[in-house]
Amino acid sequence: FTILASSARQSLSFSSLLTTTIRTHNANTIAKTTNTLLRQITPISRTSTTTTASTTRRHSTAATPTNETPPPTPQKKRTRRILSGVQPTGSLHLGNYLGAIRQWVEFQNKETESFVDEQGVLVETENYFCVVDLHAITMPHDPKELGESTLSSAALYLAAGIDPTKSRVFIQSHVPPHAELSWLLNCCTPINWLERMIQYKDKSTKAATTDTSVGVGLFTYPVLMAADILLYQADKVPVGEDQRQHLELARDITRRFHDLYCKGGAFKKRCKKAGIASYPTFTEPEAMIVAAGGGARGMSLAG
């Protein structure tokens, strides 16, 4: 019985193979025949089709002339970002609101409108407003009070008119890349650049007169501000006149980073391997000098 079953299976396999071979042969034969017929018929069909199409085109042109317009070319777009922040310092009194947040609300309601620039590119604006609590710990503080004032400040942003559907509101310490990028930028920032910062000199001088020491965080504070700006590729940064020097430092750090790491064939090869474009890593920010007034402490050493 086993031998018979085996023989039957072999017979079925051979039969299936033979059937497949025949079908394949027939399919090849049919394909060759069809191709031969098509080669013979195609010239006639083309001539017939061309004649018919020409006749139809003449009649349709004479009957109803058409003015076809080419499809519109898709307009190029780019996004610009505006970033600003205020340190949590307890209750935001009227001066804080008038000095900073009121202007943010104006930016939000006016600057977010899309417009077309000189090159014909559609520009769309994104606003980022943060509570810069990491900036507040460079000076003596009460941890409990700082935590409470940080959350209160974020809530008051919304109460003052910042619309979450138009602007992004966040707390600086809740986004770890702020501190991470700050360290990377610290490693490529010359010490003498930081020693020239006027506000650091003032703070350290005052500390010396009161026999108190100044932390390293106060010295590297401007680098953290640069990280805040560069992390979001901000084009515009609303700052007071007293913070212009820190923004210029952010621009200098951007250029130095690009000179060190974003040039040459090696950089292009790394970008190609990662599947990203080989343009500079960071956007060089520009200052939006805001009107003076109020007591709001922004991303600076002031206060």
Side-chain angles (χ1 to χ4, degrees):
F1 178 82
T2 304
I3 296 172
L4 289 174
S6 177
S7 301
R9 281 197 298 270
Q10 291 177 359
S11 299
L12 289 172
S13 299
F14 178 79
S15 176
S16 300
L17 179 62
L18 182 61
T19 303
T20 303
T21 304
I22 293 172
R23 286 177 179 173
T24 303
H25 176 74
N26 290 342
N28 291 335
T29 304
I30 292 170
K32 289 180 181 178
T33 305
T34 304
N35 288 335
T36 304
L37 290 173
L38 286 175
R39 279 196 297 270
Q40 295 173 353
I41 295 171
T42 299
I44 301 174
S45 299
R46 284 179 180 171
T47 306
S48 175
T49 304
T50 304
T51 306
T52 306
S54 300
T55 306
T56 306
R57 198 167 21 252
R58 281 198 299 271
H59 286 298
S60 62
T61 304
T64 55
T66 58
N67 295 323
E68 295 183 358
T69 57
T73 304
Q75 190 174 25
K76 293 184 178 180
K77 296 181 181 180
R78 73 177 180 89
T79 301
R80 68 167 186 167
R81 295 188 175 96
I82 297 176
L83 171 76
S84 193
V86 166
Q87 292 187 27
T89 56
S91 299
L92 287 178
H93 52 74
L94 184 61
N96 293 103
Y97 175 75
L98 294 176
I101 302 180
R102 184 181 64 179
Q103 297 184 58
W104 295 358
V105 175
E106 292 176 358
F107 293 150
Q108 168 193 266
N109 295 334
K110 294 180 181 179
E111 299 293 335
T112 53
E113 296 295 330
S114 301
F115 65 92
V116 178
D117 64 9
E118 297 81 1
Q119 287 76 34
V121 178
L122 180 64
V123 180
E124 297 177 342
T125 303
E126 294 180 353
N127 290 318
Y128 290 79
F129 300 123
C130 60
V131 182
V132 287
D133 54 339
L134 292 179
H135 291 236
I137 65 176
T138 57
M139 301 299 291
H141 62 281
D142 183 297
K144 183 178 179 181
E145 291 182 0
L146 179 60
E148 293 175 353
S149 62
T150 297
L151 296 176
S152 298
S153 297
L156 285 172
Y157 281 14
L158 306 180
I162 299 298
D163 186 351
T165 63
K166 296 181 180 179
S167 306
R168 290 159 175 80
V169 179
F170 62 97
I171 295 173
Q172 182 188 30
S173 63
H174 291 188
V175 185
H178 282 268
E180 294 168 357
L181 180 58
S182 177
W183 172 248
L184 296 177
L185 297 181
N186 267 321
C187 293
C188 66
T189 302
I191 291 179
N192 62 331
W193 287 11
L194 300 178
E195 290 174 339
R196 293 197 299 263
M197 296 294 103
I198 296 174
Q199 292 190 17
Y200 167 74
K201 291 180 181 179
D202 293 343
K203 289 285 183 179
S204 57
T205 301
K206 290 179 182 178
T209 58
T210 57
D211 294 329
T212 57
S213 60
V214 182
V216 176
L218 192 65
F219 183 65
T220 61
Y221 185 107
V223 182
L224 176 60
M225 178 178 171
D228 295 334
I229 297 168
L230 301 183
L231 185 63
Y232 296 92
Q233 306 288 9
D235 299 83
K236 303 286 185 179
V237 183
V239 293
E241 190 63 42
D242 62 328
Q243 300 172 25
R244 183 190 287 272
Q245 188 184 33
H246 289 161
L247 187 65
E248 289 300 323
L249 176 68
R251 291 164 61 86
D252 291 338
I253 292 175
T254 303
R255 297 189 193 108
R256 180 172 174 82
F257 187 93
H258 290 163
D259 288 339
L260 290 174
Y261 305 113
C262 302
K263 284 187 176 181
F267 170 67
K268 293 181 179 179
K269 287 180 180 178
R270 290 197 301 271
C271 292
K272 185 177 181 181
K273 185 177 180 180
I276 58 177
S278 58
Y279 50 75
T281 303
F282 298 118
T283 299
E284 191 169 314
E286 296 181 4
M288 292 177 65
I289 303 301
V290 298
R297 292 194 294 176
M299 295 187 294
S300 70
L301 296 176

